[in-house]
Amino acid sequence: MRIDAHHHLWDLAVRDQPWTRDIPALRRTFTTADLRPALDRNAIDATVVVQTVAVAEETPELLALAATDPYVRAVVGWTGLTGPGITDRLAELRELPGGPALVGIRHGIQDEADPEWTARPEVRRGIEAVGAAGLVYELLVRPDQLPAAVRTVRDLPDVRFVLDHAGNPVVGAVGLEPWTALLTELAGCPNVAVKVSGLVTRTGADPAAALRPYADVLLTAVGPDRLMYGSDWPVCLLAAGYDEVLAVAETLTGGLSADEREAVFGGTAARWYGIAE
């Protein structure tokens, strides 16, 4: 089973996506009908749709989609971490149509000014509640927030984490060394997986060459059994089409065995999110 472990969907007629207002290429509706031809061309069997806005109504809508669309097999949604009643809210989401597809919770930490946001006690309590509910907590962070995220993963060993977009590294000579040190430290925590996603938009004309040093670190330190491919569609369209993004990931993993490639392109996501064939 081949799984796209990270993509987005939105309908501007239902809900605004304020972050797209200054990005004309993304300032439109993107549906599964738009994505389906690329999934079929590339033999993608299942997908994980991920939240885009910190609005409570979005997650039920994504769950309802998972209840009806055969491709969308898992949802990473949003709920407020710091207020009371998070355990009850998570339970309520799982009772909704499509509720069993809820596999994780994410917050746009990268939009928080505080580089230590994940270290706040009230945030940690919320993350622990997500883990206690049997869900993954996904980390979407800027490079300056990655040290605190690494500590959070280490300090909460009973929570399963996924690091989105490999921590959003600065691609280039300046960014490689500090990112490598942090990812190597993170790799020592067995309760975290890493998404090979959202990286092509951080490169130039030759994304495979630019990302090769980062892929080598991920494959060596983290290993294929804790890496998962995600297209980051439609955000990836700012740099490349779906087919090209997948081709870059396949190029970067070309030296792996068949079993290792299967892990990156499906097995890890299936195991981490509980996606059955």
Side-chain angles (χ1 to χ4, degrees), residues 153-174:
V153 172
R154 185 185 60 221
D155 294 346
L156 301 178
D158 294 330
V159 180
R160 292 177 303 129
F161 290 89
V162 171
L163 180 66
D164 286 349
H165 311 329
N168 285 312
V170 176
V171 175
V174 174

Side-chain angles (χ1 to χ4, degrees), residues 79-86 89 112 114 116-130 137 152 156:
T79 192
L81 289 178
T82 58
I86 182 173
R89 288 198 302 277
E112 300 288 345
D114 184 4
E116 296 288 320
W117 190 83
T118 57
R120 295 180 179 182
E122 66 273 22
V123 172
R124 291 275 183 97
R125 285 193 295 271
I127 293 174
E128 287 181 295
V130 170
Y137 189 76
T152 298
L156 301 178

Side-chain angles (χ1 to χ4, degrees), residues 1-261:
M1 183 166 55
R2 277 166 56 101
I3 299 173
D4 181 343
H6 193 105
H7 74 91
H8 306 285
L9 299 165
W10 58 80
D11 185 345
L12 292 183
V14 174
R15 177 160 299 97
D16 190 20
Q17 300 286 325
W19 61 280
T20 68
R21 286 176 183 161
D22 297 323
I23 312 175
L26 300 181
R27 191 66 179 161
R28 68 175 182 85
T29 293
F30 291 91
T31 69
T32 51
D34 298 317
L35 179 58
R36 193 170 294 120
L39 301 178
D40 290 339
R41 279 196 310 272
N42 292 286
I44 302 295
D45 303 296
T47 74
V48 180
V49 65
V50 180
Q51 66 86 221
T52 56
V53 290
V55 174
E57 292 79 8
E58 182 190 47
T59 301
E61 294 162 1
L62 296 177
L63 293 174
L65 178 64
T68 59
D69 191 291
Y71 285 98
V72 179
R73 300 284 297 280
V75 172
V76 175
W78 180 90
T79 192
L81 289 178
T82 58
I86 182 173
T87 299
D88 291 339
R89 288 198 302 277
L90 294 174
E92 289 165 2
L93 286 171
R94 292 174 122 173
E95 293 299 319
L96 295 174
L102 184 68
V103 296
I105 294 295
R106 185 178 87 153
H107 177 71
I109 301 169
Q110 65 182 11
D111 297 324
E112 300 288 345
D114 184 4
E116 296 288 320
W117 190 83
T118 57
R120 295 180 179 182
E122 66 273 22
V123 172
R124 291 275 183 97
R125 285 193 295 271
I127 293 174
E128 287 181 295
V130 170
L135 302 174
V136 167
Y137 189 76
E138 299 219 351
L139 294 159
L140 176 63
V141 297
R142 303 186 307 263
D144 67 307
Q145 295 169 324
L146 187 53
V150 172
R151 293 197 306 274
T152 298
V153 172
R154 185 185 60 221
D155 294 346
L156 301 178
D158 294 330
V159 180
R160 292 177 303 129
F161 290 89
V162 171
L163 180 66
D164 286 349
H165 311 329
N168 285 312
V170 176
V171 175
V174 174
L176 180 59
E177 184 175 346
W179 175 85
T180 297
L182 288 165
L183 263 291
T184 301
E185 182 179 351
L186 185 71
C189 303
N191 59 320
V192 65
V194 177
K195 284 184 178 176
V196 184
S197 62
L199 296 175
V200 171
T201 51
R202 309 183 74 81
T203 67
D206 190 346
L211 294 174
R212 171 61 66 186
Y214 296 83
D216 289 346
V217 170
L218 291 170
L219 292 169
T220 301
V222 180
D225 286 341
R226 285 192 287 150
L227 294 176
M228 60 181 85
Y229 161 76
S231 66
D232 198 27
W233 186 92
V235 180
C236 68
L237 299 177
L238 295 174
Y242 193 101
D243 296 6
E244 183 182 350
V245 172
L246 179 57
V248 169
E250 290 175 331
T251 296
L252 294 172
T253 55
L256 299 180
S257 69
D259 287 346
E260 289 171 331
R261 286 195 300 274

